[in-house]
Amino acid sequence: MVRILRCVLTRDCCFALNKSSDRFLKVVIPSVLSTLLCLVDIYDSAKAQPSTSSAPNPKTIPQPLAPALPGVVSYGDRVALNGRILPGAWLQQKSRTGKLNTHLNDGAIKQLLGVDLLNNNNPTQQPVQWFSPSTNPVVLTSVITTGYRYLDITNFANTAGWKIQANGNTLVISTPNAQVLNIRQDRQTLGDTIIINLNRPTPWQISQGLPVPKSPTSTLDADTAPPKPTSPPNREWVVTVEGIADPSLLAVREGESERGREERTSLSDRVPTPDSLIQKVEVANNQTIVRLSVPFGFAPRVNTLANPNRLSIEIRPDAMPERRIVWATGLTWRQQYLSLGQDSFPVTWLEINPRTSGIKLKPIWTNSDTMIGTAPLVQFAQQQTAVAAINGGYFNRNNRLPLGALRRDSLWLSGPILNRGAIAWNDSGQFYIDRLTLQESIIVPNKVELPILYLNSGYVQSGIARYTPAWGATYTPLTDNEVILVVQQNKILNQITAGKAGETAIPIPQDGYLLTFRGLATANALQLTVNSTIQIKSSTISTEFNRYSHIVGAGPLLLRNRQIVLDAKGEKFSDAFIAEKAVRSGICTTATGNLAIAAVHNRAGGAGPTLAEHAQLMQLLGCVNALNLDGGSSTSLYLGGQLLDRSPNTAARVHNGIGVFLGK
């Protein structure tokens, strides 16, 4: 079949006479034939595409766990809000009197319905605010099971006029029709405020989108490239209201020129003008969607107000509200701005009392069968029923392999690299933070020791590495011409000379391991013959790490005994990494023996902290010993079905994390 390369609605069409030929002939054919050939090619291409209507493999769809509560009659992990399917854990429970009560997890209540969670001191009582005075809040009862904190919304929903019905694993919520009466914009000192007037209370959602492309700047010389932007791009934020707007409100707002915005220098001068902030207002599926273009360093803070019912959307550099919510016994959710000099940083953290009965911390990763893979933290934290989690160590984003220490229940899943910082702990609530090296060696029959540089690691250098069944069922060479020894029950069974990297998967014995020799170390493989017996000697530096069953490595080390001990250069981090201002994650122990896992985002009106600033912020947080974790787009702080520190669509996939579990 002739393959069409370019067809247009003219008499000319370019096509190849042979698929394998690099030469093309231009011929003139009738337009009808040209169109016919184009349609044939489109049909052939369509057949080659995978079908999008085929049923998904049921093995890949995690099913919600049954809540461990009496009287549960239905449960699920999806919410149909006015016809839209959204993620959200829920359950329905019959009381002793026969009343059917509906519970929705607090993350879904906040993110899907726009209900604000207020500060509390009792984990079983959650005050909320939704188009009502915060001085006299509604209080919802809560219960924790299968990794979620469920709030009883039965009376709340009845008061709001919602209709609720279970349909399989979906909770169907229908809310009364609402109208958007007006959208206006007011200028304030720190930023503009958008007011959305409503005829009644109604659910709403907000999400962060992609950077907004800057408008091209015209130049006098057509041959001269336009200047590059001197400031970071705006970020799109989308506010969705369950209500229909008046047609007169549906208009694109024309903004000021980008050049005019870039010429501003001070924080107050960078406040967007009324015309530039609201980019578009549209109605779709009985919802009003307001698209905003928010300058770098600013974000929306949304409040619901009554009399009249309205949303107040403040665009400000310090948009994060402060919180102190006792989420469970021994687990408190905190949000607060911490100041360093003239700068103020938003810090979201969980304070954990590891001595509380039932609280356990475990390393978590994306796939229990292999060390290869990445996924959003919110996904594998939910799958493993962790109530809370933070992203952990580093990894290679290309091949999705770990680059640092990971040990769970005394089993090494991945070894440390470059003497970087790590945190170790046991199930008794004891922690140890320091720099970590794993020393392993092969002891051959003549008592000669050969050093093993890396264990189950994606970090590759010339030398010997070891891969155990914790790596996965097979190992595929990471470099060319590796020499691989297959060891089973401490006996060398086979020697394999691998070829090109990434081509051949070699099985790892369940009762053994593989030794791979790279670069100059391949000569050492000659000392180890088939059928000879070898031993592995293993220990950590510091030896204190040997006492702990769980370890996660990252780095650099930030604090020891309240003092800053930052030495990123010594831990082999690059100069660019050291100097970068970026979003950061951290973990630390406090003077009370508690643990804090924290996410630090961009300073008010600017970029994130440097490593040195991150260390100082950990001091202000009350940390005694502290470790930097993987950061940037990896930074993710999870609690009960939601990310606390960022919109889920802005969080990158990660390899591993530290999970918090609640049990009896």
Side-chain angles (χ1 to χ4, degrees), residues 12 57 68 98 158 169 218 342 344 482 511 557 560 626:
D12 293 341
N57 184 349
N158 288 338
N169 74 332
S218 61
Q342 299 298 315
S344 184
E482 294 181 5
D511 53 352
L557 189 66
R560 184 190 290 128

Side-chain angles (χ1 to χ4, degrees), residues 365-398:
W365 61 100
T366 57
N367 190 333
S368 61
D369 296 328
T370 177
M371 280 290 99
I372 305 172
T374 58
L377 178 70
V378 66
Q379 176 180 311
F380 61 93
Q382 286 176 318
Q383 290 173 349
Q384 298 177 43
T385 66
V387 296
I390 192 168
N391 64 291
Y394 300 101
F395 57 97
N396 186 312
R397 291 198 183 275
N398 295 323

Side-chain angles (χ1 to χ4, degrees), residues 326-380:
V326 181
W327 198 85
T329 302
L331 177 58
T332 302
W333 166 15
R334 300 288 307 276
Q335 290 182 182
Q336 185 178 331
Y337 278 88
L338 298 180
S339 297
L340 285 179
Q342 299 298 315
D343 292 320
S344 184
F345 293 87
V347 183
T348 304
W349 75 98
L350 297 176
E351 187 169 351
I352 304 157
N353 183 347
R355 300 169 302 283
T356 301
S357 176
I359 288 186
K360 300 293 182 185
L361 278 78
K362 300 279 188 180
I364 57 176
W365 61 100
T366 57
N367 190 333
S368 61
D369 296 328
T370 177
M371 280 290 99
I372 305 172
T374 58
L377 178 70
V378 66
Q379 176 180 311
F380 61 93

Side-chain angles (χ1 to χ4, degrees), residues 87-351:
W90 61 274
L91 64 86
Q92 288 189 321
Q93 184 181 35
K94 275 195 174 180
S95 66
R96 293 180 180 178
T97 61
K99 180 183 177 182
L100 185 65
N101 294 321
T102 300
H103 302 254
L104 190 61
N105 86 289
D106 56 357
I109 288 176
K110 177 175 175 286
Q111 294 178 344
L112 306 186
L113 305 177
V115 177
D116 192 21
L117 307 179
L118 304 179
N119 295 342
N120 72 345
N121 293 310
N122 183 347
T124 65
Q125 303 288 316
Q126 180 56 62
V128 299
Q129 191 272 330
W130 193 70
F131 298 98
S132 58
S134 58
T135 54
N136 187 27
V138 174
V139 178
L140 307 181
T141 59
S142 69
V143 62
I144 297 175
T145 182
T146 59
Y148 298 101
R149 181 173 180 245
Y150 292 92
L151 304 184
D152 187 345
I153 63 169
T154 308
N155 295 333
F156 182 87
N158 288 338
T159 302
W162 301 349
K163 295 181 179 180
I164 295 179
Q165 182 178 1
N167 182 12
N169 74 332
T170 302
L171 185 69
V172 180
I173 301 178
S174 300
T175 65
N177 294 332
Q179 290 182 328
V180 176
L181 304 177
N182 187 31
I183 301 175
R184 75 174 192 272
Q185 198 168 322
D186 297 332
R187 172 62 62 88
Q188 305 293 332
T189 303
L190 290 179
D192 288 355
T193 298
I194 299 169
I195 302 296
I196 301 179
N197 289 102
L198 305 163
N199 71 327
R200 62 175 302 128
T202 191
W204 59 273
Q205 305 93 38
I206 187 168
S207 62
Q208 186 176 353
L210 298 174
V212 178
K214 287 183 176 290
S215 302
T217 304
S218 61
T219 59
L220 297 177
D221 187 353
D223 296 327
T224 302
K228 293 183 179 180
T230 57
S231 61
N234 286 13
R235 175 74 69 165
E236 182 183 56
W237 287 82
V238 180
V239 180
T240 303
V241 181
E242 299 290 330
I244 300 176
D246 186 276
S248 63
L249 301 177
L250 309 183
V252 177
R253 309 297 180 96
E254 297 294 335
E256 66 174 333
S257 70
E258 290 295 331
R259 174 174 292 181
R261 189 178 300 135
E262 289 170 3
E263 288 175 351
R264 303 174 179 190
T265 55
S266 70
L267 188 64
S268 60
D269 285 341
R270 283 179 19 227
V271 174
T273 65
D275 287 337
S276 65
L277 181 56
I278 300 177
Q279 295 291 300
K280 189 174 185 180
V281 180
E282 56 187 329
V283 170
N285 300 322
N286 296 323
Q287 298 170 322
T288 297
I289 302 169
V290 182
R291 299 186 181 276
L292 309 177
S293 177
V294 178
F296 174 77
F298 287 73
R301 179 190 290 185
V302 185
N303 296 300
T304 59
L305 304 171
N307 301 319
N309 296 304
R310 62 200 185 277
L311 293 182
S312 171
I313 307 170
E314 300 175 77
I315 308 300
R316 50 192 297 168
D318 57 344
M320 183 189 75
E322 294 196 355
R323 296 189 195 278
R324 188 187 184 280
I325 294 176
V326 181
W327 198 85
T329 302
L331 177 58
T332 302
W333 166 15
R334 300 288 307 276
Q335 290 182 182
Q336 185 178 331
Y337 278 88
L338 298 180
S339 297
L340 285 179
Q342 299 298 315
D343 292 320
S344 184
F345 293 87
V347 183
T348 304
W349 75 98
L350 297 176
E351 187 169 351

Side-chain angles (χ1 to χ4, degrees), residues 407-489:
R407 183 162 81 172
R408 176 165 168 163
D409 297 323
S410 299
L411 175 66
W412 280 110
L413 304 164
S414 179
I417 63 172
L418 304 173
N419 196 36
R420 288 180 172 175
I423 180 169
W425 69 95
N426 57 29
D427 291 334
S428 299
Q430 297 172 315
F431 294 86
Y432 180 70
I433 299 176
D434 205 345
R435 297 184 180 96
L436 168 64
T437 294
L438 177 64
Q439 282 193 329
E440 284 199 331
S441 59
I442 309 165
I443 303 177
V444 298
N446 59 4
K447 304 302 181 182
V448 173
E449 292 191 20
L450 299 176
I452 298 173
L453 298 183
Y454 303 108
L455 172 65
N456 291 345
S457 180
Y459 189 76
V460 176
Q461 282 191 335
S462 177
I464 306 173
R466 186 163 75 100
Y467 292 88
T468 72
W471 178 260
T474 62
Y475 165 77
T476 302
L478 300 176
T479 61
D480 293 343
N481 304 318
E482 294 181 5
V483 176
I484 298 172
L485 301 184
V486 181
V487 181
Q488 188 172 21
Q489 295 182 350

